[in-house]
Amino acid sequence: YYVCGRNGVLFSDVNLPCRISNTFGVQALTTGDGLACTAISPLMLSSPMVTTGIVAALIVFESIYKMQQITGDAATGNLAMNVLNVATGTFAPNSIAASEYGLFFVSPHGLRLISLDAKISPPIGDHGTGVSVPFIDTAQATRICAAANANVIRISVQNGGVAGTPTQEYWYHINRKCWSGPHNFPPSLI
């Protein structure tokens, strides 16, 4: 699957990632809303015991405005794109981080989670319950990067709300539901 900053998502032939032959008709899904698709990421299994229903999906981010979920397969005739129920997205494609809890990403309102059943959390840490201001006041949203490992998600951001706009790293401890940072050894890509 490819996003090219246009209204839609292209997909390649099976096992040939650089070829679009249109064997199954047009190999593209369009959003129909005129918004550019800016990032994609897989949302994995919600249960290893799943025998029917959705076992994996692809989340398509349409700038900061909305997200779509792609399920199915063109070969089986059940390829579909559906809008997720929260009007948000991301300007920070490198902030999208897969974890055993779902898909984390930095929205214009702070860190959010798309759970394994495709429910989108409110911003984690807003209204004084954690860290959100550095992500809201970032100097360059496209430079935010994140990764999740075990029970911690690490997020590096250029904090535009601090004099000199330093690059800082914040950690969200998932199980403990608490933040730490800023840490002063931020990466540019995780």
Side-chain angles (χ1 to χ4, degrees):
Y1 288 86
Y2 306 94
V3 292
C4 301
R6 293 191 171 91
N7 177 13
V9 177
L10 305 170
F11 54 97
S12 70
D13 292 354
V14 176
N15 294 325
L16 297 167
C18 296
R19 188 174 87 187
I20 298 175
S21 66
N22 291 325
T23 302
F24 301 107
V26 177
Q27 287 180 241
L29 293 168
T30 59
T31 59
D33 55 20
L35 296 172
C37 296
T38 54
I40 54 176
S41 186
L43 183 62
M44 291 297 134
L45 292 169
S46 60
S47 169
M49 302 306 289
V50 172
T51 57
T52 62
I54 298 171
V55 294
L58 189 65
I59 303 298
V60 178
F61 293 83
E62 291 185 76
S63 188
I64 60 170
Y65 303 107
K66 69 185 201 184
M67 293 175 283
Q68 306 257 359
Q69 180 182 44
I70 298 174
T71 57
D73 192 322
T76 57
N78 63 347
L79 190 60
M81 185 185 293
N82 300 297
V83 177
L84 294 180
N85 62 350
V86 176
T88 192
T90 187
F91 268 144
N94 286 331
S95 76
I96 302 168
S99 78
E100 63 186 75
Y101 303 98
L103 201 59
F104 286 95
F105 69 99
V106 176
S107 81
H109 308 108
L111 180 67
R112 290 186 178 228
L113 171 68
I114 304 171
S115 66
L116 297 173
D117 58 355
K119 291 182 181 163
I120 304 166
S121 74
I124 299 169
D126 66 343
H127 303 295
T129 61
V131 176
S132 60
V133 174
F135 310 126
I136 294 168
D137 290 343
T138 181
Q140 195 62 256
T142 58
R143 298 294 179 245
I144 296 173
C145 62
N149 187 358
N151 291 313
V152 176
I153 181 166
R154 298 172 55 179
I155 307 161
S156 179
V157 60
Q158 188 178 2
N159 192 342
V162 175
T165 63
T167 301
Q168 301 171 326
E169 184 177 35
Y170 292 89
W171 299 356
Y172 179 65
H173 304 270
I174 301 166
N175 284 350
R176 294 174 33 209
K177 297 186 182 347
C178 66
W179 289 87
S180 67
H183 301 281
N184 59 5
F185 45 92
S188 353
L189 188 61
I190 304 176

